[in-house]
Amino acid sequence: MDDRKKGLAIAVGGGAVLLLVVLALVGLATVYTGAYNIAATEEHTSLVRWALDTTFRNSIKSRAADIQPPRTVSPEMIAAGANSYKQMCEHCHAGPGVKRAEWASGMRPKPPHLKDAAAGWKAQEIYWLVKHGARMTGMPAFGPTHDNQALWSIVAFVKELPAMTPETYAALGDASSQSGHSTPATQNGRTKR
């Protein structure tokens, strides 16, 4: 390699290192000065929204890849999932013919309407998300307070949402679960095993 090519290679390498240092300094300045507005009344910038959405999806997909969903889903499982969904999820994620709670509209990111979003997720991915939650989204982890059977029931119900009519949705579950009171299947907020 002649001296001219070596000089060009050094200049390009030095320029790349300098660019990385500048980007790191801008990032640190943004973090330490509070320059990025985190208010829930403002949408994220396109770049930040893309980064968060992409990380969210890829993180769940990679962690849920080895989870095996139940082989069969019974009507009783879906009904149990409806009770839990209406008690714990409906206020943020809505339901067929039911709007999300007004306060949930101020969340960023906005919780998706699962009637529309559920079809884009595999059962094991929904299970992982329901069990572990997601940081900085408002999605709680239900794994510490619910057993696997209860979690899979929620998943079974959520997977049914895209094809569900408002009438079917209203008929599933019971009134006590919608009011936030414990159902016979729960005790102290924890599903019986």
Side-chain angles (χ1 to χ4, degrees), residues 5-173:
K5 287 183 181 178
K6 283 182 186 178
L8 181 61
I10 290 171
V12 169
V17 168
L18 180 61
L19 177 63
L20 290 175
V21 168
V22 168
L23 289 174
L25 290 174
V26 168
L28 284 172
T30 302
V31 169
Y32 282 106
T33 64
Y36 188 79
N37 185 357
I38 59 136
T41 54
E42 303 291 328
E43 291 288 341
H44 285 297
T45 64
S46 296
L47 178 63
V48 171
R49 186 173 46 254
W50 169 84
L52 293 174
D53 288 347
T54 302
T55 301
F56 179 84
R57 285 198 161 273
N58 290 338
S59 179
I60 293 168
K61 286 179 186 226
S62 69
R63 285 162 179 79
D66 295 331
I67 297 172
Q68 294 299 314
R71 291 178 193 241
T72 59
V73 174
S74 68
E76 294 80 19
M77 194 174 178
I78 293 169
N83 285 337
S84 295
Y85 182 90
K86 288 179 176 183
Q87 182 179 7
M88 303 179 312
C89 311
E90 180 182 86
H91 53 272
C92 286
H93 295 290
V98 177
K99 293 181 181 179
R100 70 168 54 106
E102 186 176 342
W103 60 263
S105 295
M107 295 176 71
R108 296 289 181 275
K110 278 190 178 176
H113 286 276
L114 293 183
K115 177 165 177 48
D116 302 326
W121 292 93
K122 294 178 181 175
Q124 61 266 32
E125 294 166 347
I126 296 170
Y127 172 83
W128 189 93
L129 185 55
V130 170
K131 183 172 185 170
H132 298 285
R135 292 181 199 159
M136 297 174 62
T137 65
M139 176 63 194
F142 291 112
T145 56
H146 293 75
D147 63 26
N148 287 338
Q149 181 179 350
L151 298 176
W152 281 114
S153 293
I154 294 168
V155 172
F157 178 75
V158 168
K159 287 303 287 176
E160 294 291 317
L161 282 173
M164 199 173 289
T165 65
E167 295 77 23
T168 303
Y169 181 81
L172 287 168

